[in-house]
Amino acid sequence: MIIDTHVHVWSGDTGTFPFRPILAHVPAPTAPAPVEVLLADMDKAGVDVAVLVQPSVYGWDNRYLMQSLSRWPDRFIGICLVDPEKADAADLDTWCNVGGCKGVRFNIIGMRDVSWLLDKTRSRLFEAMAERGLSASFHMDIDQAPVVADLAARYENIPFIVDYLGRTVLLRDDLDAHAKRLSAQVNVLCKVLCMAEDAQTAYPFPDIIAFYRKLLDSFEADRLMFGSDYPGPRSIC
């Protein structure tokens, strides 16, 4: 079975599903990326199952993701997006218990200080995630690795997934140290995504290959996951 662990979809019906972008560097799409097109592309490529990751352009409104899960429960697994500063157990019940998502994504990229994630005020959220058997995915910058590693050590029964380390990660000389700190926690996994748009070199992108090799050295194969970051690669390839 082939599983793509990181894809995005959004509807062309912006009246029913309006865009509410929460990241300055990710603008609202100019063209739809409907789930039906993804399914057709999955069939062409021989992909059996895909993990639908809520795109930041919808903000905390996971309804299109929920609709897609309900229509094709045998083809998709869902990761919802919640506000890391305000979300509580009620949000988990809405999007996970009722909506069917298996994990939660936190967009902390661009935040200078994320030490508040370790505060007692946030502990109930992570405890609720552990109780429900949910994973925690992080769209983050590499400098936030120490806080995420500390969280993983504190909540060892939650799978922590690093799905992005920021646009500057390919230029950093401290990647090895941060990757080793994260991988020292056995419940931390890492996604290997298509990063062609972040490359500083031309095809076949030797800087990306070097980055992948460093992740492989730190996490080894059994804690790395492939994710296409669809539909982004369609515009690059």
Side-chain angles (χ1 to χ4, degrees), residues 1 39 48-50 68-77:
M1 175 180 287
L39 278 167
D48 301 290
V49 176
S68 301
L69 291 177
S70 65
R71 291 176 67 188
W72 293 281
D74 59 329
R75 302 298 301 274
F76 298 122
I77 298 167

Side-chain angles (χ1 to χ4, degrees), residues 119-140:
D119 292 346
K120 290 183 178 180
T121 57
R122 294 288 76 201
S123 62
R124 183 61 193 129
L125 174 63
F126 289 99
E127 290 167 359
M129 290 175 61
E131 292 168 1
R132 291 159 175 76
L134 303 174
S135 64
S137 296
F138 286 85
H139 183 64
M140 56 187 281

Side-chain angles (χ1 to χ4, degrees), residues 82-134:
V82 301
D83 185 343
E85 298 184 82
K86 299 178 181 178
D88 56 23
D91 294 302
L92 302 183
D93 290 336
T94 297
W95 304 121
C96 300
N97 285 20
V98 176
C101 281
K102 302 300 183 183
V104 174
R105 191 188 202 202
F106 299 106
N107 272 342
I108 58 173
I109 192 168
M111 296 183 180
R112 292 185 178 181
D113 179 15
V114 293
S115 59
W116 48 267
L117 283 167
L118 298 167
D119 292 346
K120 290 183 178 180
T121 57
R122 294 288 76 201
S123 62
R124 183 61 193 129
L125 174 63
F126 289 99
E127 290 167 359
M129 290 175 61
E131 292 168 1
R132 291 159 175 76
L134 303 174

Side-chain angles (χ1 to χ4, degrees), residues 1-37:
M1 175 180 287
I2 297 178
I3 301 174
D4 187 335
T5 68
H6 198 99
V7 302
H8 302 294
V9 292
W10 52 85
S11 173
D13 181 1
T14 56
T16 304
F17 303 104
F19 294 130
R20 299 183 177 92
I22 58 172
L23 296 177
H25 67 283
V26 183
T30 57
V35 65
E36 292 85 359
V37 174

Side-chain angles (χ1 to χ4, degrees), residues 62-231:
N62 297 278
R63 289 180 299 122
Y64 188 62
L65 176 64
M66 299 299 100
Q67 183 184 94
S68 301
L69 291 177
S70 65
R71 291 176 67 188
W72 293 281
D74 59 329
R75 302 298 301 274
F76 298 122
I77 298 167
I79 303 295
C80 62
L81 188 65
V82 301
D83 185 343
E85 298 184 82
K86 299 178 181 178
D88 56 23
D91 294 302
L92 302 183
D93 290 336
T94 297
W95 304 121
C96 300
N97 285 20
V98 176
C101 281
K102 302 300 183 183
V104 174
R105 191 188 202 202
F106 299 106
N107 272 342
I108 58 173
I109 192 168
M111 296 183 180
R112 292 185 178 181
D113 179 15
V114 293
S115 59
W116 48 267
L117 283 167
L118 298 167
D119 292 346
K120 290 183 178 180
T121 57
R122 294 288 76 201
S123 62
R124 183 61 193 129
L125 174 63
F126 289 99
E127 290 167 359
M129 290 175 61
E131 292 168 1
R132 291 159 175 76
L134 303 174
S135 64
S137 296
F138 286 85
H139 183 64
M140 56 187 281
D141 288 311
I142 189 172
D143 290 317
Q144 296 161 341
V147 170
V148 174
D150 287 348
L151 274 174
R154 183 175 297 184
Y155 303 100
E156 294 182 337
N157 52 348
I158 296 178
F160 280 71
I161 301 169
V162 175
D163 63 26
Y164 191 59
L165 285 167
R167 289 189 169 185
T168 65
V169 69
L170 299 177
L171 304 174
R172 299 289 291 262
D173 57 10
D174 55 354
L175 170 62
D176 287 338
H178 285 303
K180 285 180 168 56
R181 181 160 185 176
L182 288 166
S183 63
Q185 304 303 321
V186 296
N187 57 324
V188 178
L189 301 91
C190 188
K191 286 184 182 179
V192 177
L193 302 181
C194 174
M195 295 182 60
E197 61 183 3
D198 294 337
Q200 304 296 310
T201 57
Y203 181 85
F205 312 122
D207 55 339
I208 297 179
I209 300 302
F211 169 69
Y212 290 161
R213 285 175 175 161
K214 289 180 179 180
L215 292 183
L216 181 59
D217 288 342
S218 294
F219 288 91
E220 301 186 344
D222 61 346
R223 285 199 285 154
L224 288 180
M225 297 181 287
F226 161 76
S228 67
D229 203 20
Y230 181 100

